Amino acid sequence: MEREISDRNILDTFCEEFCAIVEKHCKYIIVSGFLAIASGRTRGTEDIDMIIERMNQEQFNKLFADLTQENFVCMQSNNPKEVFEYLNENLSVRFTRRNEELPEMEVKFAKDILDAYQLKNRVKLELTGLKVWFSNININVAFKEELLKSPKDLEDARHLRKVYAEMIDEREIKEIKKLIKEYRL
Amino acid sequence: MIENTRESHLEQIDRWASFVRENPKQWKKSHSKFINAIFDKHQQFKHRLLKTPRGKEKLAELYGITNKEGYEWMKE
């Protein structure tokens, strides 16, 4: 699906540029709110959520250096050792473009079987017009309906169910909800 | 009354989702204008806030920025 350049918005460009760098170092997925927004949900967000494969300090240093060279900056610290420690404790770290506080990419290491499943079953979604990897639709619907549950998240799930009706697999959603109860609740 | 408003909001979500699904090449332009407008408003707000007393500190607190080296406006 070809799109005109004017179709691109600030979040799209930021996301594609960031993902292009991360892609060179590890497997990643974009999850949650931005997936819904990139799929047409009309609501705002300040951050994009990304889950990346776990890696060691040395591998992370290379990713961090690459991001820094491409003008991205970590909001918490310029020290990759310190940033790695956050990630290793399953905390999220946030990156923006240098000198710009928004938008931000919130990055976490994959932490359990659910994240591993999401990484394994990642997809590209033509309707978004973006060449980035997303967590699959059924997983996102399950998380929003079973774990997150705010009005905004339930509306996101409703939107995704309608827009991607042919991808919805109630059996997979049910299975993921079971895993959520087991590992996250 | 509140229930009707909620119902009407959900109907609007469904209508828009149907439009996105049925018009894969058309929805993005107006959607992108909406998204960009949010960031434009933020930029305008940021410039006004930075001119106020403690504007820099407030902005850093709002966004949880502790890495002062990464943002020129924090150094100025």
Side-chain angles (χ1 to χ4, degrees):
Chain A
M1 194 184 304
E2 290 301 315
R3 291 192 183 282
E4 296 171 22
I5 290 169
S6 60
D7 279 359
R8 283 272 182 275
N9 63 52
I10 287 168
L11 287 171
D12 294 337
T13 311
F14 175 79
C15 183
E16 283 197 324
E17 288 176 6
F18 195 91
C19 289
I21 300 165
V22 174
E23 174 102 74
K24 291 187 234 164
H25 297 267
C26 63
K27 252 180 146 177
Y28 74 88
I29 41 170
I30 299 297
V31 300
S32 203
F34 183 65
L35 188 155
I37 291 168
S39 302
R41 253 289 266 158
T42 43
R43 71 167 177 86
T45 189
E46 294 181 340
D47 56 14
I48 299 174
D49 298 306
M50 173 184 264
I51 296 172
I52 62 175
E53 286 179 308
R54 295 194 91 87
M55 59 181 79
N56 61 33
Q57 176 80 64
E58 194 184 336
Q59 291 166 317
F60 181 72
N61 288 350
K62 287 179 188 164
L63 168 59
F64 195 85
D66 220 359
L67 287 168
T68 305
Q69 184 167 346
E70 295 300 323
N71 232 16
F72 287 100
V73 59
C74 177
M75 296 168 93
Q76 285 101 326
S77 171
N78 262 348
N79 180 345
K81 192 169 178 285
E82 202 177 326
V83 177
F84 180 78
E85 277 168 20
Y86 272 98
L87 285 168
N88 227 11
E89 287 167 22
N90 292 332
L91 299 172
S92 61
V93 295
R94 295 171 295 133
F95 290 86
T96 63
R97 284 207 188 83
R98 184 167 295 283
N99 299 325
E100 295 174 18
E101 63 289 341
L102 288 180
E104 58 183 62
M105 184 68 77
E106 190 166 335
V107 181
K108 287 179 195 167
F109 273 166
K111 67 175 177 191
D112 58 17
I113 191 173
L114 272 159
D115 288 342
Y117 183 87
Q118 294 193 81
L119 279 164
K120 191 179 169 201
N121 293 286
R122 63 186 189 160
V123 290
K124 287 196 175 167
L125 296 167
E126 194 183 2
L127 186 69
T128 65
L130 301 178
K131 293 170 182 148
V132 303
W133 290 103
F134 291 98
S135 153
N136 97 29
I137 298 302
N138 295 312
I139 299 170
N140 277 277
V141 167
F143 267 91
K144 284 178 177 294
E145 291 178 349
E146 190 66 30
L147 182 68
L148 303 168
K149 288 183 172 175
S150 74
K152 175 191 76 180
D153 290 299
L154 294 175
E155 288 170 10
D156 284 354
R158 189 181 178 111
H159 176 89
L160 292 173
R161 279 181 174 276
K162 191 118 191 158
V163 167
Y164 296 112
E166 70 288 346
M167 291 185 196
I168 293 294
D169 176 349
E170 294 297 346
R171 205 179 47 182
E172 186 180 17
I173 292 173
K174 205 174 156 190
E175 283 302 310
I176 300 295
K177 285 182 177 179
K178 242 195 257 176
L179 288 173
I180 290 171
K181 279 182 194 149
E182 194 175 335
Y183 290 95
R184 300 283 176 96
L185 293 176
Chain B
M1 182 64 178
I2 291 171
E3 217 166 89
N4 282 346
T5 311
R6 178 77 189 145
E7 209 171 291
S8 143
H9 176 60
L10 293 177
E11 280 169 13
Q12 171 54 26
I13 289 173
D14 289 345
R15 272 198 301 276
W16 175 253
S18 296
F19 180 80
V20 171
R21 186 177 161 77
E22 287 155 22
N23 299 275
K25 289 185 179 175
Q26 288 167 30
W27 64 270
K28 186 90 183 181
K29 205 161 210 162
S30 56
H31 183 266
S32 279
K33 270 189 196 169
F34 169 79
I35 298 290
N36 288 342
I38 295 169
F39 287 96
D40 287 347
K41 290 305 285 182
H42 167 75
Q43 281 301 319
Q44 292 162 15
F45 167 76
K46 172 186 168 180
H47 290 305
R48 286 197 301 273
L49 183 64
L50 286 176
K51 286 178 189 162
T52 65
R54 287 198 64 246
K56 270 191 283 188
E57 290 92 324
K58 285 179 186 172
L59 197 61
E61 277 170 28
L62 277 174
Y63 292 96
I65 299 173
T66 47
N67 175 10
K68 292 183 179 175
E69 295 307 308
Y71 304 87
E72 281 301 317
W73 54 262
M74 285 186 80
K75 297 182 207 163
E76 285 158 9

